[in-house]
């Protein structure tokens, strides 16, 4: 058993390959892409490790921070693994990515992605599966699939158009156009932009706040809200009413509302 496997097992995380490293800080788990010598390129073993990690989040973890070691978040698909695949193997490969990233988007707890350096191809698809994205000023975004003669396969066709716009995604794939960290923030791809090297601290601060939310609210934001957003308005209103009613009936909500009314709860302040 490697040192990495031992530390994963002792902290309750799934067994991880050497290209991934998990640690826990209180109610927050941090999963790092740990293959900086290959710019955190995502090979099959790493994607399987991501699936395993997000399928077995230990009890008591209320949020995950996803970050990358080295100068770049991720260079995307490991291009060395692409050369000899048949069409059937290509489909199975894409489905592996779909499964793994589905475990992020519709998993147990919210995920904060901390982005820096290259966030390209499959790296951008991975980031798109998170719920909150923080970038530092070194981050840049690209979809070099076009220039490599391939196509996105990690759910980018589904997740990226609502996030960055269909036309922008088409331009990025067709022309190799790169988005800067500032561009990404301006269009809402990221929700927080911080100075170089400050991303992890900001991501941890946000994850701790998320982990302190009422669990039902986090569940509803992760699992119900995207379904409402994708449904017709009548279904959306009915589902929202049910979700709101369940949330306010939870003891946790009653305690938080009581605390506010007794002047003990936090006020909403300007950001
Ligand atoms: C890699 C990969 C990779 C680096 N697969 N090995 N992704 C891309 O088209 C992006 C390809 N990578 C790059 O454009 C650059 O590497 C970076 C801009 C990310 C970083 O540049 P740099 O100068 O820091 O590093 P480097 O010297 O280019 O690479 C360092 C090593 O990482 C080198 O290996 P070495 O053995 O020669 O040291 C590179 O070969 C290796 N490396 N990127 C394999 N991607 C589900 S479908 C998703 C489809 C896609 O993701 S397509 C986009 C693929």
């Amino acid at each position: 058993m490697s040192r990495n496997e031992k530390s994963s097992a002792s902290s309750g995380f799934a067994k991880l390959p050497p290209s991934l490293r998990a640690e826990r800080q209180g109610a927050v788990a941090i999963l790092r892409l740990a293959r900086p010598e290959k710019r955190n390129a995502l090979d099959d073993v790493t994607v399987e490790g991501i699936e395993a990690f997000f399928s077995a989040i230990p009890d008591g973890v209320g949020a995950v921070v996803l970050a990358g070691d080295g100068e770049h978040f991720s260079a995307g698909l490991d291009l060395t693994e692409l050369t000899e695949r048949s069409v059937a193997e290509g489909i199975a490969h894409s489905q592996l990515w779909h499964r793994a990233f589905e475990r992020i988007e519709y998993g147990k707890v919210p995920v904060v992605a901390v982005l820096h350096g290259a966030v390209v191809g499959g790296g951008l698809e991975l980031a798109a599966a998170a719920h909150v994205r923080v970038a530092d000023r070194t981050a840049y975004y690209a979809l070099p699939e076009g220039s490599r003669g391939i196509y996105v396969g990690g759910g980018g066709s589904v997740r990226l158009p609502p996030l960055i716009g269909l036309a922008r995604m088409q331009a990025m794939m067709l022309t190799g156009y790169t988005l800067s960290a500032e561009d990404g923030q301006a269009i809402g791809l990221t929700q927080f932009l911080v100075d170089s090297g400050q991303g992890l601290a900001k991501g941890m601060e946000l994850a701790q706040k998320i982990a302190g939310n009422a669990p039902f609210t986090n569940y509803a934001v992760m699992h119900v809200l995207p379904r409402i957003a994708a449904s017709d308005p009548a279904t959306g209103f009915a589902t929202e009413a049910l979700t709101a009613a369940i949330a306010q009936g939870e003891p946790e909500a009653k305690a938080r509302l009581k605390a506010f009314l007794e002047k003990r709860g936090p006020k909403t302040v300007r950001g």
Side-chain angles (χ1 to χ4, degrees):
M1 202 186 239
S2 72
R3 201 162 62 90
N4 194 43
E5 286 170 6
K6 267 189 213 142
S7 73
S8 293
S10 62
S11 54
F13 296 122
K15 185 176 151 188
L16 298 175
S19 53
L20 292 172
R21 204 171 72 247
E23 71 180 91
R24 184 158 169 184
Q25 286 187 23
V28 176
I30 307 166
L31 180 67
R32 286 190 171 82
L33 307 176
R35 203 184 171 212
E37 70 287 359
K38 294 291 178 190
R39 306 311 184 248
N40 297 323
L42 301 167
D43 56 7
D44 285 1
V45 165
T46 305
V47 178
E48 283 161 1
I50 291 172
E51 183 186 9
F53 176 86
F54 284 100
S55 299
I57 301 287
D59 286 348
V61 169
V64 173
V65 167
L66 175 64
D69 283 351
E71 299 297 306
H72 302 282
F73 175 72
S74 173
L77 174 69
D78 187 321
L79 295 168
T80 62
E81 288 192 344
L82 198 66
T83 43
E84 296 301 333
R85 267 192 211 120
S86 67
V87 169
E89 288 164 345
I91 290 171
H93 176 261
S94 181
Q95 288 176 322
L96 161 66
W97 283 55
H98 291 168
R99 251 188 348 263
F101 293 3
E102 172 94 4
R103 298 308 303 153
I104 299 175
E105 187 175 12
Y106 293 112
K108 190 173 167 191
V109 297
V111 179
V112 179
V114 173
L115 309 175
H116 73 294
V119 184
V120 304
L124 181 54
E125 294 182 283
L126 172 60
H131 305 94
V132 176
R133 279 163 291 279
V134 177
D136 82 11
R137 293 190 186 277
T138 67
Y140 63 99
Y141 313 98
L143 292 168
E145 285 83 350
S147 67
R148 312 261 182 243
I150 54 177
Y151 186 72
V152 287
S157 313
V158 174
R159 293 193 184 94
L160 286 172
L163 204 50
I164 66 173
L166 172 61
R168 185 175 285 106
M169 180 171 178
Q170 288 176 316
M172 287 171 76
M173 291 195 71
L174 293 172
T175 70
Y177 141 69
T178 294
L179 278 180
S180 67
E182 287 75 18
D183 292 339
Q185 179 70 12
I187 65 168
L189 168 58
T190 59
Q191 291 76 49
F192 299 88
L193 178 62
V194 294
D195 285 339
S196 170
Q198 301 302 307
L200 192 58
K202 185 67 186 177
M204 286 300 296
E205 175 198 322
L206 296 168
Q208 273 151 6
K209 189 154 195 316
I210 291 168
N213 291 341
F216 181 81
T217 304
N218 280 352
Y219 167 81
V221 171
M222 287 176 70
H223 293 267
V224 184
L225 177 58
R227 270 64 187 233
I228 292 177
S231 67
D232 63 280
T235 307
F237 287 125
T239 311
E240 180 185 90
L242 287 173
T243 307
I246 295 168
Q248 52 135 56
E250 284 276 304
E252 177 105 21
K254 293 193 192 310
R256 286 170 187 242
L257 298 177
K258 186 164 181 286
F260 176 77
L261 295 173
E262 291 171 357
K263 312 276 183 223
R264 291 180 287 112
K267 289 193 184 187
T268 305
V269 291
R270 199 175 282 118

